[in-house]
């Protein structure tokens, strides 16, 4: 019996054979490319990219300045690649592949450096593929891949502070944190606990002046972007943040949906969930052993998970658990346990290689329409219409009905000056062209609706608003025809922020100040009871289906 146990132990303690490395690399690249797709929501940002490249500025509707994207850094990456006449669909996939590839290589190199042999880190390629959330959002057109890369860069620098904390290290610490903020603001929650750890080297070196100087320099990208956003858009934060967080819903409303989002992850993506949970549960152990950097990472993952639950999670299954999963793999890549590589390979074989439903065996015709309450398998819903392999077979791609409606409108526009409204603005908005005036009933791209409370029959991630009487007519005519007297005054003030040609008038700056300090709240009637969605007036529907 002891000899058997000894053989098992000896097996797990052996390093992985060198031939595992090229096999792991090829397998990782194959799964990544075969699973490449783009979600409908990504086309909201794509429209801003096209409008910018066509000379309209960073706008979604060309007649107004609204930040309809959450991820400035990701957007500029798309703009850079698309500038070289690469279609934005392929730009998003190329940028995703670069970011995910660099993320995996940095993790492999971290483990290989610790073990003294790069080939020993090949297990990381395989363990990343075992996460459904990671594979799903390694593409999708959303900002996740760049968030993966930035969090690994940030954590790498944060863990280096244990060895040295000179001016350059402090600068890079805050610089990577700034870039993470500019890619998606809530990702900085993963890094906040590390600020407490900085107190230790500062106390020992008493270099407060250098620390403050390095921190200010590192945070400069956030300061510069915030200044631009305030002047250009009139707000510090993206309109998407107001649309999803300014709903007049409390944490008590949203928390149950957040718990459901967490439970869904355990049902649909058990390995990701167990990985994140194990890192959070190890927090007391790290504190007890005075492993403060590991404890900071564990606390950051826990803080981020709590935040996701507090906002009700999301309707895209797994989207917000992919990033903390990568952070957890970073932690494991720093462990020196000889058993980790082979145990990881066993997990990969059991959960991925031998699983006929795994993404290793995906085809271009893959479809999996499934919902878990408010939560949807977003990739399963859109993969067949937007995956990479099918894109080579069609002249007009994606092959989705909403995209076709947009294309048809652009070819033969009807009432080109008339505004329309829908709740699905991604495909339609992009393909209908820059001149189409579209009101997003979910308020992601609309500066007025994002300030109003959501309807009573809202859905997580889709906080629909009722359209004020006269608003669609106002957008169509260019005149303020809103019937509510207070909202009419507010709309005039809002147009000064979003539509005035001169950005630098005293009147506009005073209005920016009043708006951001809450001086217009009395004009927005959000104190009454929440009402059901009354739908979109028939004459103003975009024609994507019954009701919208």
């Amino acid at each position: 019996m002891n000899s058997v146990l000894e053989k098992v132990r000896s097996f797990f303690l052996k390093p992985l054979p060198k031939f595992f490395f090229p096999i792991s690399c090829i397998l990782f690249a194959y799964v990544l490319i075969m699973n490449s797709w783009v979600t409908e929501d990504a086309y909201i940002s794509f429209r801003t990219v096209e409008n910018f490249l066509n000379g309209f500025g960073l706008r979604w509707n060309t007649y107004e300045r609204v930040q309809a994207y959450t991820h400035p850094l990701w957007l500029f990456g798309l703009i850079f690649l698309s500038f070289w006449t690469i279609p934005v669909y392929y730009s998003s996939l190329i940028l995703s592949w670069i970011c995910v590839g660099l993320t995996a290589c940095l993790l492999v190199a971290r483990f290989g450096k610790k073990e003294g042999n790069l080939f020993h880190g090949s297990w990381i390629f395989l363990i990343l593929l075992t996460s459904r959330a990671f594979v799903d959002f390694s593409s999708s057109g959303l900002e996740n891949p760049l968030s993966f890369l930035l969090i690994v860069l940030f954590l790498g620098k944060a863990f280096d502070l244990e060895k040295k904390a000179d001016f350059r290290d402090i600068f890079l610490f805050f610089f990577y944190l700034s870039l993470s903020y500019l890619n998606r603001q809530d990702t900085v929650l993963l890094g906040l606990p590390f600020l407490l750890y900085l107190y230790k080297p500062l106390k020992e070196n008493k270099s407060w002046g250098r620390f403050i100087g390095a921190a200010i320099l590192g945070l400069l990208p956030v300061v510069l972007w915030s200044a631009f956003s305030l002047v250009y858009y009139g707000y510090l934060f993206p309109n998407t943040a107001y649309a999803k967080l300014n709903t007049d819903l409390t944490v008590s409303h949203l928390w149950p949906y957040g718990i459901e989002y967490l439970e869904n992850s355990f049902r649909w993506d058990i390995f990701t969930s167990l990985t994140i949970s194990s890192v959070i549960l190890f927090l007391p152990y790290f504190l007890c052993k005075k492993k403060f950097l590991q404890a900071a990472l564990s606390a950051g993952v826990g803080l981020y998970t709590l935040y996701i639950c507090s906002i009700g999670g999301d309707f895209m299954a797994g989207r917000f658990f992919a990033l903390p999963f990568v952070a957890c793999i970073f932690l494991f890549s720093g462990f020196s346990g000889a058993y980790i590589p082979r145990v990881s390979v066993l997990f990969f074989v059991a959960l991925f290689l031998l699983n006929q439903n795994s993404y290793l065996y995906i085809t271009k015709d893959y479809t999996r329409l499934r919902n878990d309450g408010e939560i949807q398998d977003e990739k399963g819903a859109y993969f067949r219409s937007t995956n990479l392999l099918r894109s080579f077979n069609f002249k007009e791609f994606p092959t989705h009905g909403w995209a076709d409606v947009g294309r048809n409108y652009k070819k033969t526009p009807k009432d080109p000056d008339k505004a329309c409204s829908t709740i699905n603005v991604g495909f339609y908005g992009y393909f209908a062209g820059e001149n189409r005036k579209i009101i997003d009933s979910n308020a992601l791209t609309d500066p007025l609706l994002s300030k109003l409370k959501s309807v009573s029959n809202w859905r997580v991630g889709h906080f629909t608003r009722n359209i004020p009487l006269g608003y669609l007519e106002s957008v169509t005519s260019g005149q303020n025809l809103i019937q509510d007297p207070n909202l009419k005054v507010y709309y005039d003030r809002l147009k000064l922020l979003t539509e005035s040609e001169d950005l630098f008038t005293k009147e506009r700056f005073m209005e920016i100040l009043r708006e951001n300090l809450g001086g217009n709240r009395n004009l927005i009637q959000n104190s009454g009871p929440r009402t059901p969605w009354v739908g979109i007036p028939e004459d103003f529907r975009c024609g994507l289906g019954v009701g919208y």
Side-chain angles (χ1 to χ4, degrees), residues 320-337:
F320 289 125
F321 291 129
L323 182 62
F325 173 79
V326 172
C328 293
I329 299 302
F330 176 90
L331 179 65
F332 295 150
S333 70
F335 290 167
S336 57

Side-chain angles (χ1 to χ4, degrees), residues 103 106-107 110 146-161 169-181 187-198 218-219 293 296-297 300-301 323 326-327 330:
T103 299
L106 287 172
L107 293 172
R110 173 175 163 79
L146 185 52
S147 290
F148 298 159
L149 177 59
L150 292 173
I151 199 63
V152 169
L153 289 170
F154 168 77
L155 291 174
K157 183 49 60 181
F159 273 65
D160 283 346
L161 294 177
D169 296 303
I170 299 297
F171 162 73
L172 287 176
F173 174 89
F174 282 101
F175 181 68
Y176 291 142
L177 194 63
S178 293
L179 295 185
S180 296
Y181 175 90
T187 60
V188 299
L189 293 172
L190 284 163
L192 287 183
F194 288 94
L195 296 176
L196 298 174
Y197 181 81
L198 285 176
L219 293 172
L293 285 169
L297 195 156
V301 171
L323 182 62
V326 172
F330 176 90

Side-chain angles (χ1 to χ4, degrees), residues 256-424:
Y257 294 92
I259 296 300
E260 287 182 13
Y261 191 65
L262 191 61
E263 291 174 351
N264 168 265
S265 182
F266 275 95
R267 284 192 289 270
W268 287 5
D269 194 4
I270 185 65
F271 184 76
T272 300
S273 305
L274 290 178
T275 301
I276 294 172
S277 300
S278 64
V279 169
I280 295 173
L281 292 174
F282 264 102
L283 177 59
Y285 170 79
F286 292 140
L287 291 173
C288 182
K289 294 293 183 179
K290 296 185 178 180
K291 296 178 179 290
F292 296 120
L293 285 169
Q294 290 83 353
L297 195 156
S298 176
V301 171
L303 183 63
Y304 183 82
T305 303
L306 282 175
Y307 165 76
I308 295 305
C309 291
S310 72
I311 62 171
D314 192 45
F315 68 96
M316 297 187 195
R319 179 187 176 189
F320 289 125
F321 291 129
L323 182 62
F325 173 79
V326 172
C328 293
I329 299 302
F330 176 90
L331 179 65
F332 295 150
S333 70
F335 290 167
S336 57
Y339 58 87
I340 291 179
R342 292 195 173 231
V343 169
S344 299
V345 172
L346 283 181
F347 270 114
F348 171 78
V349 171
L351 299 177
F352 197 80
L353 201 60
L354 299 179
N355 180 6
Q356 63 178 356
N357 292 321
S358 79
Y359 288 148
L360 178 61
Y361 308 109
I362 200 167
T363 69
K364 64 181 181 180
D365 295 317
Y366 169 81
T367 301
R368 195 174 188 182
L369 300 175
R370 58 174 179 166
N371 292 281
D372 186 5
E374 301 286 332
I375 304 159
Q376 175 177 296
D377 183 347
E378 190 78 352
K379 179 180 177 181
Y382 289 108
F383 186 81
R384 191 175 187 277
S385 300
T386 67
N387 73 75
L388 174 68
L389 296 183
R390 280 176 61 87
S391 72
F392 302 131
N393 299 330
F394 296 90
K395 184 178 180 180
E396 292 187 337
F397 191 81
T399 57
H400 194 281
W402 297 338
D404 291 337
V405 174
R407 293 187 189 102
N408 292 335
Y409 174 83
K410 189 173 183 179
K411 292 174 183 175
T412 56
K414 181 182 178 182
D415 297 328
D417 294 327
K418 187 176 182 179
C420 75
S421 181
T422 183
I423 58 174
N424 300 297

Side-chain angles (χ1 to χ4, degrees), residues 4 23 64 81 130 137 183 203 213 234 289 291 335 437 461-462 467 476 506 522:
V4 173
I23 292 175
E64 62 182 356
L81 290 177
T130 312
F137 295 98
N183 195 53
K203 184 179 179 182
K289 294 293 183 179
K291 296 178 179 290
F335 290 167
K437 297 178 180 179
H462 296 80
I467 301 173
T476 298
K506 180 181 178 181
N522 62 309

